[in-house]
Structures are given as C-alpha cells and as structure tokens.
Amino acid sequence: MMGSDLPSPDKVVALYKANNITDVRIFHPDTNVLEALRGSGLGVVLGTLNSDLAPLASDASYAASWVQSYVQPFAGAVSFRYINAGNEVIPGESAALVLPSMQNLEAALRAAGLSVPVTTAMATSVLGTSYPPSQGAFSEAALPTVGPIVSFLASRGTPLLVNVYPYFAYSAEPSSVPLDYALLSSSAAVAVTDNGVEYANMFDAILDAVYAAVEKAGGGESLELVVSETGWPSGGGGYGASVENAAAYINNLVRHVGRGTPRRPGKAVETYIFAMFNENQKPEGVEQYFGMFQPDMSQVYHVDFSASS
C-alpha cells in the first residue's frame, strides 16, 4: 500500500477475486481496506505496525482498544486468518516486545469473544545456520526471543509466519546460486543433497532450514510455517530482476507450494506473494518492482492462480 497512485480498496478486492486469489495480507490496520473486505470471502492476515509493539506489549488496554478498533467491528464479515504482531523485528531492539504484544492481543481477543490466532512474521535472518537445511538453527541473537515464541505458538497450534526470498540470496551471490535453483524451475538440477534428501529449489531449502530450527527450539514437528512473503522483482536494476524471471518465479511458486517440502512432503504451504502492486513510495531500486500488477491494475506479468497444485 506504499504507492501514491494505487486503486481504491474495493477495486483491489475485485481484482483479487477476478484472479482466483483467496487470501490477502495487509501490513497494518486500515479501516477503509477492512470495510472493502467485508463479505468478500477473502482470508485476511492483519498486521500491527512495528511502531505499535511498544504500547501493545506494555499496556493491555491499548491492545484492547486495538482489537475494538480493527477486529471487533469486522469480525462477523471479514475472515481473519491471523493477526501478526510485528514484521521482521527479530533480532533487534524491538524483539523483546513481540511476545508480550502477542499475549496482550490474544487476551484482548478472548475478552472480546473472538478466536483469531496471534503470531508474528520473521525474516530468515533469524537463522544462524541455514545450510544444509537439516542443520537449520536460530542464531544466538534470535534464539532467546524466538524460543519462547515458538513455545507459545506450538502450545496453541498456531503457525509461525516467515518471509522467504530466494531472490535476495541469488542476487547477492549469483556466481554460487544457479538461477534455475532460485526460480523453482522444474528443469533445475539437484543443487543440495542433505543426508540423502535432495533439493532442486532454494525455496524448499530455506523453508526446511526454518523447520529444522523450529524443531531444535522445541517446536516439534507439529508447528507449521506460513510463508507470509515471497516474491521476485521485475525491475529496478538489481541482478536478476526482470519481468521474465519474476513471471517464472511466481508461476513456478504457485504450481509448487501445494506439494510441501522434503521435510514436510505433501503438506501444502500457505503462501503469500509479495506483492500485489508496484509501489512508487518504496525506496528506489528493486523495492518498487515486486508487484504482479501496475497501479492501473494492468498485469506486470501473467500469473495463473488456477494452476495451484
């Protein structure tokens, strides 16, 4: 939503439905957007602003008013899948605010008679080890914060949200990461063999490294991961950023995620594509070019959502 020229929320909801997109993630509460989502049938992941974590963590009444403003008025007509307290704040100075924010939001939802799972969204920078995938482990900086969050989520059967970007790994080291491996190409050769388990795409390898880390942190094999962001830029000058590569990655992703990963075979991965639109108020460069659609609602490239595996 960081664009000066984006369509109105009702038009965006219609565009979702016209493209067989079933769920939407919004990064901060916006009552105009929530109004447009009423009765749409779209599942909604609703985020808090990172700047709201401090009051949410320290003040139960603030969490209650947040729920009363952004969840309660819409709860009957909007299908809330999760509320995520913060996006990519672990590790960092706000990391310790995440779990108390989750706890206060959960208590406020319960007091309001609402049962919406509360979680958080993490970047893969929480990993200290990611290769090979079976050795995945949270970093020493992240583990003290992530460990209790994993326990909180596991005890409730709520998934952890994780943002997965093969693009950034590829663009940082294109000489050591095959493009086909990063793009989930069906023709990609096996690039990683891990205790006899073969990986022919980086998406699965990253996700399974997080699964391994979650298991080591006490989450067991029952804690699910939801990919709360993944995408590929179509421009902006970054290495490998092109319409052709973005179209390949997103279409391959749509076809792939229903199959699960080697560590969770057959277990479909709930996945959110970043992003719906190119956004001209993002930092210059690739950040402005992650959209599947232009602000005028024309396609940057075609995505066949009906091909979802």
Side-chain angles (χ1 to χ4, degrees), residues 17-19 40 91 136 139 153 210 221 265 292 297:
K17 298 182 83 166
N19 284 275
S40 66
S139 68
L153 295 173
V210 182
E221 295 188 10
M292 297 180 292
M297 300 202 294

Side-chain angles (χ1 to χ4, degrees), residues 99-112:
L99 183 56
S101 294
M102 291 166 62
Q103 292 166 328
N104 282 343
L105 283 166
E106 180 186 70
L109 289 160
R110 282 187 178 158

Side-chain angles (χ1 to χ4, degrees), residues 233 235-238 241 279 282-290:
E279 299 168 286
K282 282 288 193 74
E284 284 197 14
V286 296
E287 294 285 340
Q288 296 189 357
Y289 291 92
F290 272 87

